[in-house]
């Protein structure tokens, strides 16, 4: 195979034409599939840090257990079968007592790191679902992603920085402890020398974990930028998504319900910012606001019946919002309009009359 045989389309930009920012719907769908921006460096750094800290805290206990195991076998060294199943079970039991807590701490740290990055818990089987398309080798895409790309260069630079950090940190810590270590060895203090070596290793691990955690912050920012870039859409995709959302009754109904619930939760503020409240007078209440920059006609800011209508009138009174009694109009607006809708054309004349009256009263005041 020669270079002439390689199709140049392998190196073509896959995201050509993807100039539009990803929509909230696309990001939400990707999140449901388990595709979010996250850095593996944060998870690995936190796992390393917490496991090392746990190991340091539990080191005296682990050392005592190791001494017990050694004592157990040394006292039975003269027996014929030292490696009989009962003796090996003792060794395995002590090993599990040391390994299981560290493993659990590492798992908890990894899960916590992912939950923080995902901004919540996400459960999806899509990332581990078998995909036979990935089996087909794509040399051009692989080289583009791992070598001829910003992501590939950044990963290489990140690895070199981590190696340099480990080497430099280990050099500084070991150099500072060499005189003390030589002094302990010259006095044949083996236990003290082993303790100093363990302390030195712990310092190196903790220092590297903290530095890696600091390095993971820019890595997360880069990964987030790369993720958003990969989620960008073409103009055709934006139009197609808009058509699908507008044409899907379930999606449209869901969005309307979400908008109405949001506006309903913000009722005190919505009523306070309204221009007028039209009542039935006791059974219905509808709050209107006319914002020229937002809509061509007044909008329904809040509406309700019975107790909700009473609350709307009370909020209007507290915030000096005019209350106008119009039985027919209040009932019609409540029945035919939802929160956030603009006033239909058939009610414009009646609404304009009310706004004219309010404007006259305000000028008179």
């Amino acid at each position: 195979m020669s270079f002439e045989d390689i199709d140049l389309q392998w190196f073509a930009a896959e995201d050509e034409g993807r100039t539009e920012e990803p929509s909230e719907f696309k990001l939400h769908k990707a999140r449901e599939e388990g595709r979010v921006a996250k850095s593996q460096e944060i998870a690995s750094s936190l796992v390393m840090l917490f496991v090392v800290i746990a190991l340091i805290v539990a080191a005296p206990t682990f050392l005592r257990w190791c001494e017990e195991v050694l004592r157990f076998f040394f006292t039975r060294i003269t027996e014929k079968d030292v490696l009989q199943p009962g003796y090996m079970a003792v060794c395995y039991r002590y090993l599990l007592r040391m390994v299981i807590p560290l493993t659990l701490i590492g798992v908890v740290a990894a899960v916590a790191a992912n939950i923080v990055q995902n901004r919540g818990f996400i459960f999806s089987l899509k990332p581990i679902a078998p995909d036979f398309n990935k089996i087909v080798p794509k040399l051009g895409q692989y080289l583009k992603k791992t070598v001829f790309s910003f992501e590939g260069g950044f990963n290489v630079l990140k690895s070199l920085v981590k190696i340099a950090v480990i080497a430099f940190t280990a050099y500084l810590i070991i150099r500072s402890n060499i005189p003390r270590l030589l002094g302990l060895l010259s006095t044949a203090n083996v236990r003290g020398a082993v303790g100093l070596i363990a302390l030195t290793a712990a310092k190196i691990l903790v220092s590297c974990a903290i530095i890696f955690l600091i390095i993971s912050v820019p890595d997360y920012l880069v990964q987030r930028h790369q993720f958003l870039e990969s989620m960008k859409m073409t103009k055709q995709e934006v139009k197609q998504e808009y058509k699908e959302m507008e044409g899907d009754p379930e999606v449209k109904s869901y969005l309307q319900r979400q908008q109405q619930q949001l506006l309903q939760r913000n009722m005190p503020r919505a009523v306070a910012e309204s221009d007028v409240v039209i009542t039935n007078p006791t059974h219905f209440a509808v709050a209107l606001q006319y914002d020229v920059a937002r809509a061509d006609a007044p909008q329904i800011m809040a509406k309700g019946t019975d107790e909700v209508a009473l609350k709307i009138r009370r909020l209007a009174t507290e915030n000096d919002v005019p209350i106008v009694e119009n039985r027919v109009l209040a009932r019609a607006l409540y029945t035919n309009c939802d929160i956030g809708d603009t006033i239909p054309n058939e009610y414009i004349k009646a609404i304009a009359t009310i706004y004219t009256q309010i404007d006259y009263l305000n000028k008179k005041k």
Side-chain angles (χ1 to χ4, degrees):
M1 180 177 180
S2 62
F3 285 102
E4 288 79 4
D5 299 327
I6 299 178
D7 189 354
L8 295 180
Q9 288 299 320
W10 286 357
F11 298 91
E14 293 180 353
D15 297 336
E16 184 178 356
R18 297 181 181 274
T19 58
E20 305 301 315
E21 295 297 326
S23 63
E24 291 295 330
F25 179 76
K26 184 174 183 179
L27 293 175
H28 179 71
K29 186 176 180 180
R31 179 181 175 84
E32 290 181 343
E33 296 175 353
R35 294 186 292 131
V36 293
K38 59 182 177 181
S39 169
Q40 296 298 332
E41 298 297 326
I42 294 179
S44 59
S45 300
L46 284 178
V47 170
M48 179 179 176
L49 180 61
F50 281 97
V51 170
V52 170
I53 292 176
L55 185 59
I56 293 173
V57 173
T61 303
F62 287 178
L63 180 60
R64 189 179 70 251
W65 289 348
C66 291
E67 291 175 349
E68 291 177 1
V69 173
L70 291 175
R71 189 180 300 111
F72 176 83
F73 281 101
F74 276 119
T75 55
R76 292 163 175 78
I77 197 170
T78 57
E79 295 184 7
K80 182 178 180 180
D81 188 6
V82 181
L83 299 179
Q84 58 180 290
Y87 291 170
M88 295 307 298
V90 174
C91 182
Y92 293 147
R93 184 167 64 249
Y94 275 96
L95 180 62
L96 292 176
R97 288 170 65 183
M98 290 186 287
V99 171
I100 290 178
L102 297 179
T103 303
L104 292 177
I105 291 174
V107 171
V108 171
V111 172
N114 282 279
I115 289 177
V116 170
Q117 292 186 83
N118 298 339
R119 299 178 184 177
F121 183 78
I122 300 176
F123 179 77
S124 175
L125 299 177
K126 188 72 178 289
I128 61 175
D131 187 359
F132 294 100
N133 293 327
K134 296 181 179 179
I135 300 177
V136 180
K138 298 180 181 179
L139 179 61
Q141 295 181 8
Y142 175 78
L143 291 176
K144 176 190 171 185
K145 185 175 181 180
T146 58
V147 180
F148 306 104
S149 68
F150 170 79
E151 183 179 0
F154 180 78
N155 289 332
V156 172
L157 178 62
K158 182 175 61 178
S159 300
L160 293 175
V161 170
K162 291 171 69 174
I163 293 173
V165 165
I166 294 174
F168 186 67
T169 303
Y171 168 75
L172 292 179
I173 295 176
I174 293 174
R175 188 183 67 172
S176 63
N177 289 329
I178 284 180
R180 186 179 171 189
L181 179 62
L182 293 177
L184 292 172
L185 292 176
S186 63
T187 58
N189 188 351
V190 178
R191 188 182 183 89
V194 172
L196 180 60
I197 293 174
L199 180 61
T200 303
K203 287 181 179 180
I204 294 174
L205 291 174
V206 171
S207 301
C208 290
I210 294 175
I211 296 173
F212 290 166
L213 191 60
I214 295 174
I215 294 175
S216 65
V217 174
D219 180 67
Y220 173 77
L221 297 178
V222 171
Q223 296 298 332
R224 178 174 175 79
H225 173 74
Q226 292 293 103
F227 173 74
L228 293 177
E229 286 293 319
S230 68
M231 295 297 293
K232 279 189 174 180
M233 308 167 66
T234 62
K235 293 184 177 181
Q236 182 62 31
E237 288 176 340
V238 173
K239 294 179 181 178
Q240 185 65 27
E241 182 182 281
Y242 179 78
K243 290 180 180 179
E244 291 177 357
M245 293 179 64
E246 285 295 313
D248 191 340
E250 293 185 1
V251 174
K252 190 173 182 180
S253 176
Y254 171 77
L255 294 177
Q256 288 179 348
R257 288 198 305 271
Q258 292 294 107
Q259 183 183 24
Q260 292 175 15
Q261 291 176 4
L262 178 63
L263 294 174
Q264 200 72 17
R265 287 195 298 268
N266 295 332
M267 180 184 293
R269 179 180 176 183
V271 175
E273 295 177 354
S274 298
D275 301 323
V276 62
V277 172
I278 303 175
T279 64
N280 192 27
T282 56
H283 296 293
F284 296 92
V286 181
L288 304 179
Q289 183 190 40
Y290 182 35
D291 187 350
V292 180
R294 189 168 58 185
D296 297 332
Q299 289 181 288
I300 306 293
M301 301 302 294
K303 70 174 187 176
T305 60
D306 301 330
E307 294 182 1
V308 179
L310 179 62
K311 181 179 179 180
I312 292 175
R313 291 198 302 273
R314 185 176 70 251
L315 290 171
T317 303
E318 294 173 355
N319 293 275
D320 295 328
V321 177
I323 299 176
V324 176
E325 180 181 340
N326 190 319
R327 298 173 181 268
V328 177
L329 183 59
R331 188 182 186 91
L333 291 176
Y334 179 85
T335 304
N336 300 322
C337 301
D338 292 323
I339 298 175
D341 290 350
T342 55
I343 301 302
N345 292 331
E346 57 265 28
Y347 305 124
I348 290 294
K349 185 175 181 180
I351 298 297
T353 302
I354 293 175
Y355 269 84
T356 302
Q357 296 175 353
I358 295 173
D359 186 57
Y360 172 76
L361 293 176
N362 288 335
K363 290 180 178 179
K364 189 174 182 182
K365 289 181 180 179

